[in-house]
């Protein structure tokens, strides 16, 4: 096979002044930030579905992407060539990890038995390529939303045989993920939701979804799979309402069904946007519950309403994300998966590189800037100061549950309680700008 990407040898760090579009200006994999090499902080992954399988069609137009390595068939040989092109891409773009759905890497066949056999053959090839290149699997997942049988959901299908098929498919996808040494396994509830409440029994659906997850937890221990199980919240698209709406909804669901601590969250920026939240909000809600597992690093256009899955090229957004990641002590099983695709007009293979390079540089900048914000300490000091009244005797007793209305009434009834200290939001925003844009992060 001729090289799929002959126009580039290897993307390397060349520093902020570089004008070479095939270089990193910020991502220097082995450079140490806050005591750890950048590559270990960021744990970048490329996703197979958008990178290798997205022809860039949209509801109104046909695919535009040029993919000379792909003959467009479901033949085994084509699956293997495509995989080879992918590993060439990972190598040349200096990306250490990847993510996939079962049906991205191998086609759906007539029966699940046949599909499993095909998946095993392709996965075997992946294992060899991983062995030879040192590339790692961040997470695997099952596609439970493309085939017509899943039109009304998978784990929430009103049809029990569809539910059973979904479970069986997850069983095998988890096994393949385990075999490939994956750090995690993702549940994105593609169509676990509804278009109308006239034809859906919501409490029953939620109970079924919990059953699927509990069986996955059981299967994980039976397999001896030591990776994490992640749920990926998303409020809508393709369905009108999805049960995994946002971080808070998913955490409530996990608590209700005894799954908290067994399943953590994979949070996607564009899904936060669709839920009308900031990504930082979604991350902090998950982090507060000790459930921030992994991140699908993309971004959307806030005024568009679609999951546009753009590459995360916004330096400020990447900084906010990395602030939360550093605050939680960093990823363990998770990482930054680029669940992102090119715009339909960016049809050349070169554009796959430019998207990833732009995203990796944004997050490398974000990492440096977040570390600088921590070192600077002014914003966290202001936050601590704002709550300092709670550190006294009264505050402590309230926080520990030792106070009553009667006591609090006695404490304030004869006082003139005025306003709290100024929030000083503008001053904090200015400090943030000074550290991120004017400070050492820029270098
Ligand atoms: C779709 C989701 C999907 C998951 C993997 O919106 O982001 O790509 O990440 O199934
Ligand atoms: Ni995603
Ligand atoms: Ni998405």
């Amino acid at each position: 096979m001729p090289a799929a990407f002959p126009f580039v040898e290897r993307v390397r760090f060349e520093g902020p002044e570089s004008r070479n579009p095939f270089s990193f200006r910020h991502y220097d994999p082995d450079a140490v930030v806050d005591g750890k090499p950048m590559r270990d902080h960021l744990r970048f992954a490329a996703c197979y579905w958008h990178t290798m399988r997205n022809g860039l069609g949209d509801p109104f137009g046909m695919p535009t992407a040029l993919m000379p390595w792909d003959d467009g068939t479901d033949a085994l040989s084509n699956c293997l060539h495509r995989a080879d092109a992918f590993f060439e891409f990972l190598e040349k773009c200096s990306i250490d990890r990847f993510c996939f759905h079962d049906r991205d890497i191998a086609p759906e066949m007539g029966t699940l038995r046949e599909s499993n056999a095909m998946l095993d053959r392709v996965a075997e090839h992946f294992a060899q390529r991983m062995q030879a290149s040192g590339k790692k699997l961040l997470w695997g997942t099952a596609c439970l939303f493309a085939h017509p049988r899943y039109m009304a959901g998978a784990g929430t299908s009103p049809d029990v045989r569809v539910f059973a098929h979904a479970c069986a498919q997850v069983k095998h996808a988890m096994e393949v993920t385990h075999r490939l040494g994956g750090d995690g396994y993702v549940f994105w509830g593609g169509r676990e939701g509804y278009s109308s409440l006239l034809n859906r029994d919501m409490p029953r659906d939620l109970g079924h979804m919990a059953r699927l997850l509990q069986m996955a937890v059981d299967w994980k221990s039976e397999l001896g799979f030591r990776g994490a199980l992640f749920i990926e919240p998303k409020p809508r698209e393709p369905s009108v309402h999805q049960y995994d709406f946002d971080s808070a909804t998913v955490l409530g669901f996990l608590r209700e069904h005894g799954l908290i601590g067994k399943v953590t969250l994979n949070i996607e920026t564009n899904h936060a946007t669709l839920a009308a939240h900031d990504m930082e909000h979604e991350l902090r809600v998950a982090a507060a519950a000790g459930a921030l597992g992994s991140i699908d690093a993309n971004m959307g256009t806030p005024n568009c309403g679609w999951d546009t899955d753009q590459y995360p090229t916004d330096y400020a957004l990447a900084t906010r994300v990395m602030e939360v990641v550093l605050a939680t002590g960093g990823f363990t099983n998770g990482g930054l998966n680029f669940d992102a695709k090119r715009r339909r007009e960016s049809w050349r293979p070169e554009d796959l590189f430019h998207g990833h390079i732009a995203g990796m540089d944004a997050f490398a900048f974000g990492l440096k800037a977040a570390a600088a914000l921590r070192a600077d300490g002014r914003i966290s000091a202001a936050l601590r100061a704002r709550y300092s009244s709670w550190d006294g005797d009264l505050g402590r007793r309230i926080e520990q549950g030792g106070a009553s209305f009667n006591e609090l009434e006695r404490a304030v009834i004869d006082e003139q309680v005025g306003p709290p200290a100024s929030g000083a939001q503008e001053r904090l925003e200015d400090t943030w700008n000074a550290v991120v844009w004017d400070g050492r992060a820029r270098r």
Side-chain angles (χ1 to χ4, degrees), residues 272-350:
T273 307
L274 292 178
H277 297 313
D278 285 339
M279 178 59 164
E280 190 183 347
H281 167 94
E282 285 296 85
L283 294 173
R284 288 196 190 271
V285 168
L292 172 50
S294 198
I295 290 175
D296 269 11
N298 59 16
M299 63 182 197
T301 300
N303 50 9
C304 157
W306 280 6
D307 192 11
T308 51
D309 284 350
Q310 291 159 246
Y311 285 93
T313 60
D314 182 330
Y315 280 32
L317 176 63
T319 302
R320 293 214 179 276
V321 170
M322 290 313 297
E323 283 184 77
V324 187
V325 172
L326 290 185
T328 60
F331 292 120
T332 43
N333 286 304
L336 294 168
N337 167 45
F338 292 110
D339 192 350
K341 65 183 182 203
R342 296 164 285 164
R343 299 308 84 199
R344 188 164 180 267
E345 294 149 84
S346 308
W347 55 271
R348 301 169 315 155
E350 283 87 334

Side-chain angles (χ1 to χ4, degrees), residues 172-246:
H172 198 71
M174 283 177 67
E175 202 177 316
V176 170
T177 299
H178 177 48
R179 230 183 274 152
L180 295 179
D183 281 328
Y185 182 89
V186 161
F187 294 89
W188 170 57
R191 294 180 193 274
E192 314 296 18
Y194 57 77
S195 296
S196 166
L197 281 172
L198 288 174
N199 58 14
R200 296 304 288 252
D201 184 338
M202 181 157 51
R204 211 166 175 189
D205 285 351
L206 288 165
H208 296 163
M209 198 158 83
R211 291 310 309 152
L212 186 152
L213 283 168
Q214 184 56 55
M215 286 188 266
V217 169
D218 297 343
W219 179 234
K220 174 182 145 151
S221 55
E222 209 175 318
L223 269 178
F225 176 51
R226 303 169 75 91
L229 301 181
F230 301 123
I231 288 197
E232 185 177 319
K234 184 173 182 181
R236 63 179 66 86
E237 198 208 84
S239 54
V240 167
H241 174 90
Q242 288 178 202
Y243 295 134
D244 299 330
F245 196 90
D246 60 3

